[in-house]
């Protein structure tokens, strides 16, 4: 059992109040002891937004802020939004809409700049960017890297974290160097959907037991996530909202108390500057089956 002094953070998930489970997923998370969420906006085209300019992303961001506000009311702690442009958009723009890589890059950079406005105003916690995790041609790869580096520049100016969607790897030292060159400390770059071992930036580890055990034994900063997609057409995709609380309980049963504190108190403070203990409420939260 976990008492109310143990924060439980899911570092990366999506909520779709219009087509998915929305707040029901938040309730599942909270019922099992989850206290804090980082909610990333869904890819723009999943919300029927076909962007041609930065302002076109604003309805996506605004809808995310609305659901985050409602989610916070249901949590023992609170939720924060992370806003940005999914790197897979470049393929949609180039392959399906006939944009050049340069044109796609310009649209995506502009979207990030709009997301940065929300961070600057204190309405969002960080930015989301990255590059395709699948094979693309050299021009698209170069444009994607330029978009990501622009996110690092914005993150440096705002002193905020940048979450990345990127290829499966255990080594992002080059990406870390790009962030540092832009003035963003590498530990404030987070690779979402990470394995238990990663060099260069902070891993947000998918909450599967083998990955978590690797991260726990390494002792380096890490976060835990589900990447819950909240898509009724993909009900079994990725991990469900109950997973992180259940995995926290499992880690504690395995004697990994320090790893739990690392992932849910120390690393959130290090990366995002958030106080998961200080934002807990006074009522008691416990884990159920």
């Amino acid at each position: 059992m976990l008492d109310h002094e143990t924060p439980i953070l899911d570092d990366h998930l999506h909520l779709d109040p219009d087509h998915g489970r929305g707040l029901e997923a938040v309730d599942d998370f909270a019922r099992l002891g989850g206290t804090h969420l980082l909610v990333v906006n869904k890819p723009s085209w999943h919300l029927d937004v076909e962007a041609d300019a930065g302002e076109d992303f604003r309805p996506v961001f605004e809808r995310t802020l609305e659901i985050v506000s409602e989610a916070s009311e249901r949590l023992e702690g609170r939720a924060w939004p992370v806003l940005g442009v999914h790197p897979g958009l470049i393929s949609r723009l180039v392959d399906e809409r006939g944009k050049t890589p340069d044109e796609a890059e310009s649209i995506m950079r502009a979207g990030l700049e709009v997301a940065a406005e929300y961070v600057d105003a204190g309405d969002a916690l960080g930015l989301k960017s990255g590059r395709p995790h699948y094979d693309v041609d050299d021009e698209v790869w170069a444009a994607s890297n330029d978009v990501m580096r622009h996110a690092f520049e914005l993150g440096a100016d705002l002193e905020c974290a940048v979450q990345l969607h990127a290829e499966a790897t255990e080594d992002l030292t080059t990406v870390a160097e790009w962030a540092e060159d832009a003035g963003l400390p590498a530990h404030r770059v987070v690779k979402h959907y990470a394995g238990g071992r990663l060099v260069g930036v902070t891993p947000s580890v998918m909450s599967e037991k083998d990955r978590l055990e690797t991260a726990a034994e390494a002792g380096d900063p890490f976060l835990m996530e589900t990447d819950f997609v909240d898509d009724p057409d993909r009900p079994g995709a990725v991990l469900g909202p109950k997973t992180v609380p259940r995995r926290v309980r499992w880690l504690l049963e395995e004697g990994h108390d320090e790893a739990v504190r690392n992932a849910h108190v120390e690393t959130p403070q290090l990366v995002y500057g958030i106080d998961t203990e200080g934002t807990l409420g006074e009522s008691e939260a416990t884990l159920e089956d």
Side-chain angles (χ1 to χ4, degrees):
M1 302 293 287
L2 292 180
D3 64 28
H4 66 283
E5 296 178 351
T6 305
I8 301 176
L9 168 73
D10 188 332
D11 181 62
H12 184 110
L13 86 166
H14 307 276
L15 295 174
D16 189 337
D18 302 309
H19 308 100
R21 298 191 62 217
L23 294 173
E24 290 181 3
V26 177
D27 290 341
D28 279 352
F29 174 74
R31 192 175 302 114
L32 269 74
T35 59
H36 295 79
L37 294 171
L38 264 61
V39 181
V40 183
N41 62 269
K42 296 194 76 172
S44 51
W45 64 95
H46 286 192
L47 300 181
D48 300 320
V49 171
E50 298 292 352
D52 287 300
E55 283 298 315
D56 294 340
F57 293 91
R58 199 174 292 278
V60 177
F61 301 152
E62 292 284 351
R63 194 69 184 100
T64 305
L65 264 59
E66 290 171 4
I67 189 65
V68 166
S69 177
E70 294 178 52
S72 283
E73 296 176 0
R74 296 169 179 252
L75 294 171
E76 185 72 16
R78 60 162 296 180
W80 292 273
V82 174
L83 305 179
V85 178
H86 193 286
L89 178 60
I90 197 166
S91 296
R92 188 172 183 87
L93 291 170
V94 172
D95 298 340
E96 300 183 27
R97 297 184 56 203
K99 304 288 187 184
T100 68
D102 285 346
E103 290 170 336
E105 177 188 337
S106 178
I107 292 168
M108 295 170 74
R109 287 168 65 105
L112 283 168
E113 288 163 6
V114 173
E117 294 177 15
Y118 291 92
V119 178
D120 191 38
D123 296 326
L125 184 64
L127 298 174
K128 163 70 180 297
S129 185
R131 61 190 183 191
H133 65 277
Y134 46 86
D135 290 336
V136 294
D137 65 36
D138 291 345
E139 287 186 72
V140 169
W141 185 251
S144 297
N145 281 321
D146 286 345
V147 171
M148 181 169 59
R149 295 178 80 157
H150 187 52
F152 295 156
E153 293 168 355
L154 294 169
D157 289 343
L158 296 164
E159 298 183 346
C160 76
V162 177
Q163 284 198 13
L164 299 182
H165 176 106
E167 70 278 7
T169 181
E170 293 184 355
D171 188 346
L172 283 177
T173 52
T174 298
V175 169
E177 290 168 1
W178 292 348
E180 295 278 356
D181 288 346
L184 180 66
H187 69 265
R188 304 205 80 177
V189 178
V190 177
K191 184 193 186 301
H192 115 87
Y193 212 106
R197 184 180 296 106
L198 181 64
V199 177
V201 304
T202 302
S204 184
V205 179
M206 282 294 288
S207 295
E208 298 164 346
K209 289 183 178 180
D210 56 343
R211 298 189 190 210
L212 291 174
E213 193 162 40
T214 298
E217 291 174 354
D220 298 323
F222 77 102
L223 298 151
M224 291 173 59
E225 69 165 82
T226 58
D227 190 27
F228 174 64
V229 296
D230 203 6
D231 185 343
D233 295 329
R234 302 169 61 201
V238 206
L239 300 176
K242 299 178 182 179
T243 308
V244 168
R246 285 174 168 163
R247 293 295 185 259
V248 167
R249 180 174 58 188
W250 172 77
L251 283 168
L252 292 173
E253 290 171 350
E254 295 295 310
H256 292 301
D257 300 56
E258 291 185 6
V260 169
R261 182 167 183 82
N262 181 358
H264 297 276
V265 178
E266 295 168 357
T267 303
Q269 176 67 48
L270 174 70
V271 173
Y272 301 107
I274 56 177
D275 182 357
T276 56
E277 291 181 314
T279 48
L280 280 177
E282 296 181 356
S283 61
E284 188 166 331
T286 60
L287 283 176
E288 303 174 357
D289 289 328

